[in-house]
Amino acid sequence: MTTIYDVARKANVSAMTVSRVINNTGRISDKTRMKVRHAMEELHYIPNFMARSLVVQETKILSLLITDITNPFFTTLARGAEDAAKQFGYRLMFGNSDEDLDKEKDYVDMVLSTRVDGVLFAPAGDGSLTHLQKLAKHNVPFVIIDRTVPGVECDTVLGDSRTGARLLTEHLISLGHRRIALINGSSQVSTARDRYAGFVEALKQSGLAPDPQLSAETGYKPIEPRELLSRWMALPAKPTAVFAANNFLAIGVIRCLRDMGLSVPEDVSVVCFDDLGLESAINPFLTVAAQPAYTFGSMGMQLLIERIRGEAAPEYRSVVLQPELIVRRSSAPPRS
Amino acid sequence: MTTIYDVARKANVSAMTVSRVINNTGRISDKTRMKVRHAMEELHYIPNFMARSLVVQETKILSLLITDITNPFFTTLARGAEDAAKQFGYRLMFGNSDEDLDKEKDYVDMVLSTRVDGVLFAPAGDGSLTHLQKLAKHNVPFVIIDRTVPGVECDTVLGDSRTGARLLTEHLISLGHRRIALINGSSQVSTARDRYAGFVEALKQSGLAPDPQLSAETGYKPIEPRELLSRWMALPAKPTAVFAANNFLAIGVIRCLRDMGLSVPEDVSVVCFDDLGLESAINPFLTVAAQPAYTFGSMGMQLLIERIRGEAAPEYRSVVLQPELIVRRSSAPPRS
DNA sequence: GCAGGGTGAGTTATCGATAACCCTACCCGA
DNA sequence: TCGGGTAGGGTTATCGATAACTCACCCTGC
């Protein structure tokens, strides 16, 4: 690889002069500038960003940590983040924690040793506290997206899970459902708690008592909750609707129900959080509380970059994005 | 940030000794090793990978360039790539070319200045030649995935687009379709050419003549080809089936058809390349030639890492992955 | 008693770039 | 003619780490 010194030698100037031409700093005569430019082109010179990082203490790399790269919510978010990062001249390093705190820890270590300028962080759960504290201790700016972590103070971009859950539940109740089951993410994840709260709130407002038997916690990862559904559907007072706390869970539920010979929404209605991406384009089926995923990413990135540049006010900002209830075919009145 | 020198001072040894402890090289007595370890912990020392990169001439960063991060094919591929990279101790930098050669160029420049150890490259099209040559000129190892680029010699992981297209077309023909329209990616992209070839091949084998009027080239990006479909459906000999060259196009086609009051598959059958991700899980609707996206990523990464490590044979390898025809509801016999 | 060899560590140069300081013309006005 | 300002560019140290060499010490065997 050719270096700044090769260019300097070729152009008959000092390395510093080349550096000045590259960064457009200092005073350089047009003649010298041209000479250097030509030398750079002839040698196909490309600046070594890593070497630069070492002295200016800035890598121009940001890191995005998400919990599932196959979930359309997060890929759309990633796109928002990437677009924003690029716009401000940053590169992006991705990481995938898989909702797993151990993987998340590994990733945080990688991030620290890469000396990235900042992290856009979708925490795997409350246990992410340690990891975020580690970032803070090393003065790495970060912004949390999608989920809060108790004990962590920072800029955040969140969805209003509670309201979304309430809307979905109210929708089911208004259709006439009285026995609604909830399949939820881990209670170690803030959105799962909020969705639970919104769910219960809506039930109580309608004078319904939440039934502990109809509430389960399986985590957000894609699964097929066969046993759970068999148990539910074997109850004397079996549910007529299921509220799945995310898209993957809804899909698992629907597949299991169909395998059990039950159809959606005739036998059981299903609603969930987050849209499904392409699916909703041609076969809009699931009733969902859709979140503006792209905005989560772009807005989060913007907060992060402002923080890095020191343009942000000292107090932390929290952006809350509202979900939108989209009623589709998967929810219908219960069979009387 | 604490450096190796801080640790050295605290442990009363030289920086070199600390380096040896970190990398487990050279000879160190257990006593010294412990002393250094403790100092590292007390100071919360984290090695600076960038500084290391500068001297060992290796960043342990690989780069993955895809053409659309929102397409489930590429996100699944990305996951495969990430898993493989992580397994071998590499970090991943993502880039998104959006099927756009200009963006791709920017990205290649970024990649070069970051001095990544290698690139897994899904080219935007034949015009990527220049970019790949640039990588080659700077001795950056790369592996091409999904699409070939004429004029470039390197390891590749490809799908058998021709066979897939043939299978889909034969399927339509066997259902009784005789007038099949093709909506394709740009002819500047190898897969689009191959899919066209497979399509024509299947037609000819059945004694059908490809009709130029029924073949269009819109690119792989998501669009709603309203005019195109109106024109097609206004033809005296209008098509009874549409072969969409990727999932996005199929979705656009289906939406437009529905807007026109036509239903799939009753009025028009639709088939396409690549599955849709979540959608196929609950509402398997589209007949597709599904490709093993995860394998594209993991296999590509494996080839790349072998090449970087010098473990690969000098001659280039080309892996061809077979698509699988999955017949679903979107294809049916034509209305007689 | 001493050459020879292995142990455990330190010294110095280097990776590619930039910050901070320094130097030399040249120009201009008093 | 001389002091001082400025344009244009060079020198040197430094970022954080590692490679390559060096060195002191102790052990061993003849």
Side-chain angles (χ1 to χ4, degrees):
Chain A
M1 278 285 197
T2 91
T3 75
I4 205 169
Y5 296 98
D6 301 325
V7 176
R9 199 172 315 122
K10 179 123 195 162
N12 239 308
V13 297
S14 74
M16 199 57 224
T17 302
V18 179
S19 171
R20 289 192 178 106
V21 171
I22 295 170
N23 298 295
N24 227 332
T25 56
R27 289 183 240 280
I28 302 285
S29 71
D30 285 350
K31 208 176 74 189
T32 308
R33 192 190 311 282
M34 282 308 149
K35 222 170 37 176
V36 171
R37 289 249 167 86
H38 283 145
M40 291 189 349
E41 277 174 30
E42 277 183 54
L43 298 176
H44 305 296
Y45 169 73
I46 292 186
N48 184 327
F49 232 99
M50 296 300 145
R52 175 173 209 280
S53 303
L54 197 57
V55 30
V56 301
Q57 304 278 40
E58 169 192 76
T59 54
K60 282 283 179 186
I61 297 179
L62 298 178
S63 148
L64 172 63
L65 178 58
I66 57 186
T67 62
D68 194 338
I69 200 187
T70 51
N71 189 323
F73 171 72
F74 282 112
T75 57
T76 307
L77 184 157
R79 197 198 177 99
E82 211 231 343
D83 287 352
K86 185 159 189 197
Q87 190 187 331
F88 290 100
Y90 286 90
R91 283 152 296 173
L92 218 51
M93 256 179 52
F94 274 60
N96 202 197
S97 70
D98 250 340
E99 306 274 359
D100 178 336
L101 286 171
D102 287 337
K103 284 200 190 176
E104 189 174 280
K105 179 181 182 311
D106 287 353
Y107 190 71
V108 166
D109 287 341
M110 273 195 172
V111 154
L112 283 170
S113 59
T114 310
R115 300 291 194 273
V116 301
D117 294 346
V119 185
L120 196 56
F121 203 114
D126 294 351
S128 301
L129 175 62
T130 328
H131 308 152
L132 292 165
Q133 284 173 334
K134 198 165 181 180
L135 288 179
K137 185 158 58 200
H138 290 279
N139 293 313
V140 180
F142 57 87
V143 170
I144 286 187
I145 44 179
D146 188 42
R147 305 166 177 185
T148 57
V149 173
V152 176
E153 293 286 303
C154 67
D155 293 317
T156 53
V157 178
L158 303 171
D160 190 342
S161 280
R162 184 169 184 142
T163 300
R166 201 162 38 69
L167 290 176
L168 286 169
T169 312
E170 284 169 357
H171 163 69
L172 289 173
I173 294 174
S174 76
L175 285 174
H177 294 276
R178 292 297 172 264
R179 290 183 307 282
I180 304 172
L182 169 69
I183 179 168
N184 205 350
S186 159
S187 62
Q188 293 297 303
V189 176
S190 71
T191 52
R193 288 192 295 272
D194 293 345
R195 286 167 200 185
Y196 180 75
F199 171 70
V200 169
E201 192 177 319
L203 289 181
K204 289 196 173 158
Q205 257 176 10
S206 301
L208 297 172
D211 179 351
Q213 273 195 106
L214 290 184
S215 172
E217 184 187 313
T218 62
Y220 280 142
K221 287 210 274 192
I223 52 160
E224 304 217 338
R226 240 163 260 296
E227 285 183 29
L228 178 65
L229 284 173
S230 325
R231 202 166 66 235
W232 277 347
M233 300 317 287
L235 289 174
K238 62 185 177 196
T240 60
V242 176
F243 172 4
N246 82 349
N247 45 12
F248 281 156
L249 292 176
I251 287 167
V253 165
I254 291 176
R255 294 178 70 148
C256 287
L257 286 173
R258 293 208 176 138
D259 286 355
M260 293 165 69
L262 298 171
S263 54
V264 179
E266 291 77 6
D267 297 306
V268 182
S269 287
V270 176
V271 303
C272 73
F273 238 91
D274 291 333
D275 217 334
L276 266 68
L278 292 185
E279 122 73 44
S280 35
I282 52 167
N283 258 320
F285 177 71
L286 261 170
T287 293
V288 299
Q291 302 196 89
Y294 185 93
T295 311
F296 272 79
S298 61
M299 180 78 78
M301 202 43 98
Q302 214 168 303
L303 292 185
L304 179 60
I305 293 174
E306 284 175 13
R307 180 69 57 195
I308 292 169
R309 293 183 165 181
E311 296 170 358
E315 59 273 10
Y316 292 119
R317 291 157 301 172
S318 180
V319 176
V320 177
L321 302 172
Q322 289 303 318
E324 183 193 1
L325 178 68
I326 304 179
V327 177
R328 300 206 188 101
R329 292 186 286 120
S330 72
S331 55
R335 201 167 284 201
S336 56
Chain B
M1 277 287 195
T2 92
T3 76
I4 206 169
Y5 295 98
D6 302 324
V7 176
R9 202 174 313 123
K10 178 124 196 160
N12 240 307
V13 297
S14 74
M16 199 55 223
T17 302
V18 179
S19 172
R20 290 192 179 107
V21 171
I22 295 170
N23 298 298
N24 228 333
T25 56
R27 288 184 238 281
I28 302 284
S29 70
D30 284 350
K31 208 176 73 186
T32 308
R33 192 190 311 281
M34 280 308 149
K35 224 170 35 175
V36 172
R37 290 248 167 87
H38 284 145
M40 290 188 352
E41 278 174 28
E42 278 184 54
L43 298 175
H44 305 296
Y45 170 71
I46 292 185
N48 185 327
F49 232 98
M50 294 302 145
R52 174 173 210 280
S53 302
L54 197 55
V55 32
V56 301
Q57 303 280 39
E58 169 192 76
T59 54
K60 283 284 180 184
I61 297 179
L62 298 178
S63 148
L64 171 63
L65 178 58
I66 56 187
T67 63
D68 194 339
I69 200 188
T70 52
N71 189 324
F73 171 72
F74 282 112
T75 59
T76 308
L77 183 156
R79 197 198 177 96
E82 211 230 342
D83 287 352
K86 185 160 189 194
Q87 191 186 330
F88 290 99
Y90 287 90
R91 282 152 297 173
L92 217 53
M93 256 179 52
F94 275 58
N96 201 198
S97 71
D98 250 340
E99 306 274 359
D100 178 337
L101 287 171
D102 287 336
K103 283 199 189 177
E104 190 174 279
K105 178 179 183 311
D106 287 352
Y107 190 71
V108 166
D109 287 340
M110 273 196 172
V111 154
L112 284 170
S113 60
T114 310
R115 298 292 194 271
V116 301
D117 293 345
V119 185
L120 196 56
F121 203 114
D126 294 351
S128 302
L129 176 62
T130 328
H131 308 152
L132 291 165
Q133 284 173 334
K134 197 165 181 181
L135 288 179
K137 187 160 56 200
H138 289 278
N139 294 312
V140 181
F142 58 87
V143 170
I144 286 187
I145 45 180
D146 187 44
R147 307 166 177 184
T148 56
V149 174
V152 176
E153 293 286 304
C154 66
D155 295 315
T156 53
V157 178
L158 304 171
D160 190 342
S161 279
R162 186 170 183 142
T163 300
R166 201 162 39 68
L167 290 175
L168 285 170
T169 312
E170 284 169 358
H171 163 69
L172 289 174
I173 294 173
S174 74
L175 285 174
H177 293 277
R178 292 296 171 265
R179 290 183 307 283
I180 304 172
L182 169 69
I183 177 166
N184 205 351
S186 159
S187 63
Q188 293 298 302
V189 178
S190 71
T191 52
R193 288 192 295 270
D194 294 344
R195 286 166 199 185
Y196 180 75
F199 171 71
V200 169
E201 192 177 320
L203 288 181
K204 288 195 173 158
Q205 257 175 10
S206 301
L208 298 171
D211 179 352
Q213 274 195 106
L214 291 184
S215 173
E217 184 187 314
T218 62
Y220 280 142
K221 287 210 273 191
I223 52 158
E224 305 217 338
R226 240 163 260 298
E227 284 184 31
L228 178 64
L229 285 173
S230 326
R231 202 167 67 235
W232 275 347
M233 299 318 288
L235 288 174
K238 62 185 176 197
T240 60
V242 175
F243 173 4
N246 81 349
N247 44 12
F248 282 156
L249 292 176
I251 287 168
V253 165
I254 291 175
R255 294 179 69 148
C256 288
L257 287 173
R258 293 210 176 136
D259 286 354
M260 294 164 69
L262 298 171
S263 53
V264 179
E266 290 77 5
D267 297 306
V268 181
S269 287
V270 176
V271 302
C272 74
F273 238 90
D274 292 332
D275 217 335
L276 265 68
L278 293 185
E279 122 74 44
S280 34
I282 51 167
N283 258 319
F285 177 72
L286 261 170
T287 292
V288 300
Q291 301 197 87
Y294 186 93
T295 310
F296 271 79
S298 60
M299 180 78 79
M301 203 41 98
Q302 214 168 304
L303 292 185
L304 179 59
I305 292 174
E306 284 175 14
R307 180 68 57 196
I308 291 169
R309 292 184 166 180
E311 296 169 359
E315 60 273 12
Y316 292 118
R317 290 158 301 173
S318 181
V319 176
V320 177
L321 301 172
Q322 290 304 318
E324 182 194 1
L325 179 67
I326 303 180
V327 177
R328 300 208 188 97
R329 293 185 286 122
S330 73
S331 56
R335 202 167 284 206
S336 55

